[in-house]
Amino acid sequence: MTTERPTALVVLGMHRSGTSAVAGALVARGANAGRALLPSTSDNANGYFEDARLVAASDALLAAAGSAWDVPGPVARPMAAPAATTAMAEVFTALRDSPAIAVVKDPRACRLVPEWSQALAGAGLRPAFLIVVRDPREVAASLQARDGMSAFRASQLWLEHLLEAEDATRGAPRAFLDFESLLREPDAMLDAALATPVSYTHLRAHETEAT
């Protein structure tokens, strides 16, 4: 007899693509994003819904590969960052033990899907990916305003993040969410996305409990 692993919703997308809005909407429906969330800032007043420990672990993994979220180019593997791997395992295990469905989000994870997937599986979770896609011109404008990043570099990073996320999630439960459609009809878009790759009845149960 086998027991199906609980699902973890993994929100992927380039920085400034609306991933925080998606994760926040899922939390509002009863999902659990963790207990050590990054605080809101003037750039994201409603919050990021990112566990600070996962962000630090992702930064450490990228640094071990000689890279960073804003450095274009391939990410070298394997990565030697045992402390980061341990931290990810602890976060995912705590989320697995929560009665609410887990939602984890960090744009850096677009480039670290294999490492995140391995850590999630090791914690007994089944990842289902929600990939948010926003017009790269809008992303570039937002990054230029926030970080002073050139449009060329922002567009290059947008392309690399999306291509790596798409390639690494092939064969896994996943759905793509268009940012503009999310703005117009957020509930309908989330309903449609969740209905296919994940056990939506599981989320609906927690959504009912939260109300």
Side-chain angles (χ1 to χ4, degrees), residues 4 14 16 18 22 38 48 51 65 70 82 85 93 100 126-127 134 149 153 158 169 173 180 183 190 192 199 207:
E4 185 178 355
M14 175 58 184
R16 313 306 294 170
V22 172
L38 291 175
Y48 292 87
D51 192 299
D70 56 352
T85 302
T93 298
R126 169 181 173 266
R134 185 181 184 185
M149 185 179 293
R153 186 172 185 178
W158 177 91
T169 58
E180 293 300 325
L183 291 179
L190 281 177
S199 176
E207 189 178 332

Side-chain angles (χ1 to χ4, degrees), residues 14-38:
M14 175 58 184
H15 299 257
R16 313 306 294 170
S17 288
T19 55
S20 297
V22 172
L26 292 170
V27 169
R29 289 177 175 222
N32 179 16
R35 295 175 297 178
L37 301 183
L38 291 175

